Amino acid sequence: MSDAAQPTAAEVRAAAEAVKTALDRHLAAVERRSGEDDPAVSEAFNQLAAAAEVYDELLYDRYDEVTPFEIPGAEELPPYAGPEEPNAISVLIRRDYAVAEPQRLLAQAQRVEAAEYDESGGPADGAAGTVPGALGVLFGEFEPDEIASRHKEFGLEEGDSTLWVTAAEEPAEPGEWLETPFEHIDPQGVVCRFDVSAVFDDEDADDEDLEFVDDTDADAAADDDEVEGVRR
């Protein structure tokens, strides 16, 4: 960041004061808690998380220093407000990959295309000759879970991933959401979510122990990354 774009010392100080105010509000909300899922406590928590994030960013930009605060994203879900007895659920999954070895990716896709050519007796369409085309061939041939378990074979490197389970009163009508499948997700309808990221590597990893916890303590691990899960 250039000197001209750096925050001023006064802005950093103001952000620190905002954190102090948010801390007081959070403590007051906890002391007045009306129940385990008191929305006032959740709101105060979110305000504290937002204030801490702003302060952390300004402190780093101005002084190249960091805070010890870490607010996991999975704890930022608002209180659940979906149906008490849902008749349908949706499972939303995002998995990120880096194309670490393009030639391996192309070679695998070309093998799939060649096998289809042998079976059909017709000419291959050459889609596997480019990285986008190769991705289309492989994801058209293999299930996403199989690609996830064999990603190194396909020249891919795992990035972050997340899985959300949302609840609904009734199942969606056939074709209802196909044009915009990832829009209109109500965070208050999320029953649980599980995140995997290298950002959690500094904490203990245990691929045998996946712990379901409340919004204030999401902590578990899978493989070499930590799996962070929140259940309502």
Side-chain angles (χ1 to χ4, degrees):
M1 176 178 291
S2 67
D3 290 342
Q6 284 185 346
T8 65
E11 288 174 325
V12 179
R13 173 63 60 181
E17 293 299 325
V19 172
K20 296 175 188 177
T21 300
L23 275 169
D24 289 338
R25 289 175 178 169
H26 182 259
L27 177 58
V30 171
E31 290 173 337
R32 297 192 301 267
R33 182 194 297 270
S34 61
E36 190 170 318
D37 297 321
D38 189 338
V41 175
S42 297
E43 178 64 22
F45 175 91
N46 290 335
Q47 291 176 353
L48 176 57
E53 183 178 2
V54 170
Y55 172 62
D56 189 86
E57 291 178 355
L58 293 177
L59 186 72
Y60 181 80
D61 290 343
R62 176 71 186 182
Y63 299 110
D64 199 26
E65 289 290 343
V66 297
T67 70
F69 308 139
E70 183 176 353
I71 310 295
E75 293 188 2
E76 296 175 3
L77 288 174
Y80 177 70
E84 292 185 6
E85 297 183 5
N87 295 310
I89 64 168
S90 294
V91 180
L92 305 148
I93 300 174
R94 171 172 174 168
R95 295 184 178 124
D96 284 1
Y97 299 95
V99 181
E101 299 179 74
Q103 293 306 316
R104 181 184 291 272
L105 175 74
L106 293 170
Q108 289 281 21
Q110 287 163 2
R111 277 195 283 271
V112 170
E113 197 171 57
E116 292 178 349
Y117 167 77
D118 290 341
E119 291 178 1
S120 66
D125 59 16
T130 66
V131 169
L135 290 169
V137 169
L138 292 175
F139 278 87
E141 177 70 15
F142 301 101
E143 293 290 335
D145 287 345
E146 183 171 3
I147 290 179
S149 64
R150 300 173 55 189
H151 61 276
K152 291 183 179 179
E153 295 179 38
F154 302 124
L156 302 175
E157 181 179 303
E158 284 185 316
D160 290 354
S161 66
T162 188
L163 181 150
W164 294 33
V165 179
T166 66
E169 293 282 3
E170 300 294 340
E173 294 294 328
E176 179 180 342
W177 48 258
L178 289 180
E179 290 186 4
T180 55
F182 303 112
E183 293 184 5
H184 312 302
I185 301 303
D186 182 0
Q188 291 189 305
V190 176
V191 178
C192 57
R193 64 174 285 180
F194 305 97
D195 300 326
V196 178
S197 174
V199 75
F200 305 130
D201 280 350
D202 57 345
E203 300 183 19
D204 293 337
D206 181 3
D207 58 7
E208 297 295 326
D209 182 19
L210 176 60
E211 184 180 0
F212 297 89
V213 294
D214 292 333
D215 286 356
T216 54
D217 186 15
D219 208 1
D223 298 327
D224 294 330
D225 294 323
E226 178 167 333
V227 175
E228 184 153 306
V230 171
R231 182 176 63 182
R232 301 295 186 179

